[in-house]
Amino acid sequence: WEAVGLCSYLLIGFYFAKPEAAAAAKKAFLVNRIGDLGFALGIFSIYMFIKPHCAPGENPLDYAVVFKYAGHLTAASGFFEMSQATLIGLLLMCGALGKSAQFPLYVWLPDAMEGPTPVSALIHAATMVTAGIYMIARCGPIYHLSLTALEAVTWLGVIGAVLAALMAMAQYDMKRILAYSTISQLAFMFVALGCGAPDAGVFHVFT
């Protein structure tokens, strides 16, 4: 997760002598750090809430162990009276919003097109930006315990899909148009995940 973020920063700033490329690299790095702060807090929350239920020798951050004890995440988290599953779902979603360039953390992706075109095509339209989609789909057992988290994913996806498509219509640079199109299509995947159809969302990753 962090390695691909570092690669993104280094590759966007490949033309480091160009001020726009250097600024775009810093912007991508900082915006992703905002999302990854929430992501890290989500991982800490999983550890804190799952650890008390684990048998000796079980890793509370292992997917199989987390899903095995996911049913215990319905208790209140003590944070705005949210359930533990809701808190974890919303925090993990922050990481997905940054990595998959979703509203409101989408601002780095259009500027990332300052990097070389093969980098833009591979990292910022295919590989890196789908990490958040995969993460939410993979953590489905947690999200399905929280209607609030699923609704948040859905509505942020709806807003992102409409907003990015409208912004693309006002662009003249071809790579920026494709960047906004990428944001919009990723938002459709978010809507599918939020509606409880991860198979449809992941299928759209492949298309």
Side-chain angles (χ1 to χ4, degrees):
W1 188 272
E2 287 299 330
V4 78
L6 175 63
C7 292
S8 172
Y9 167 74
L10 295 172
L11 290 167
I12 294 169
F14 181 78
Y15 301 119
F16 57 89
K18 189 178 175 186
E20 294 87 351
K26 281 187 285 187
K27 187 175 185 178
F29 190 80
L30 290 172
V31 171
N32 272 285
R33 291 294 73 73
I34 294 169
D36 289 346
L37 172 62
F39 188 59
L41 290 174
I43 294 172
F44 296 153
S45 299
I46 290 174
Y47 186 89
M48 187 170 69
F49 296 144
I50 295 293
K51 179 70 173 172
H53 305 290
C54 289
E58 285 185 322
N59 177 7
L61 292 178
D62 185 80
Y63 277 117
V65 175
V66 172
F67 298 157
K68 178 181 174 182
Y69 297 110
H72 296 283
L73 295 175
T74 51
S77 66
F79 190 78
F80 290 126
E81 299 183 358
M82 288 188 286
S83 73
Q84 294 173 349
T86 299
L87 180 64
I88 291 170
L90 293 176
L91 287 172
L92 292 179
M93 183 187 70
C94 292
L97 294 178
K99 197 67 72 183
S100 292
Q102 289 303 295
F103 178 85
L105 300 179
Y106 65 90
V107 293
W108 66 270
L109 187 59
D111 290 352
M113 296 301 139
E114 292 293 341
T117 301
V119 172
S120 303
L122 179 62
I123 301 284
H124 305 119
T127 312
M128 174 176 159
V129 290
T130 55
I133 308 295
Y134 174 77
M135 186 270 294
I136 292 180
R138 187 74 175 85
C139 296
I142 295 174
Y143 278 90
H144 284 286
L145 292 171
S146 171
L147 186 61
T148 305
L150 284 175
E151 285 183 348
V153 171
T154 303
W155 282 109
L156 287 174
V158 169
I159 293 167
V162 174
L163 194 64
L166 289 173
M167 287 191 286
M169 293 169 66
Q171 301 298 319
Y172 292 94
D173 181 82
M174 182 56 73
K175 284 177 75 176
R176 288 181 76 89
I177 293 171
L178 291 172
Y180 282 113
S181 171
T182 299
I183 296 169
S184 186
Q185 294 305 309
L186 289 163
F188 281 120
M189 299 174 208
F190 261 71
V191 173
L193 294 171
C195 290
D199 48 348
V202 173
F203 175 72
H204 196 23
V205 170
F206 284 92
T207 60

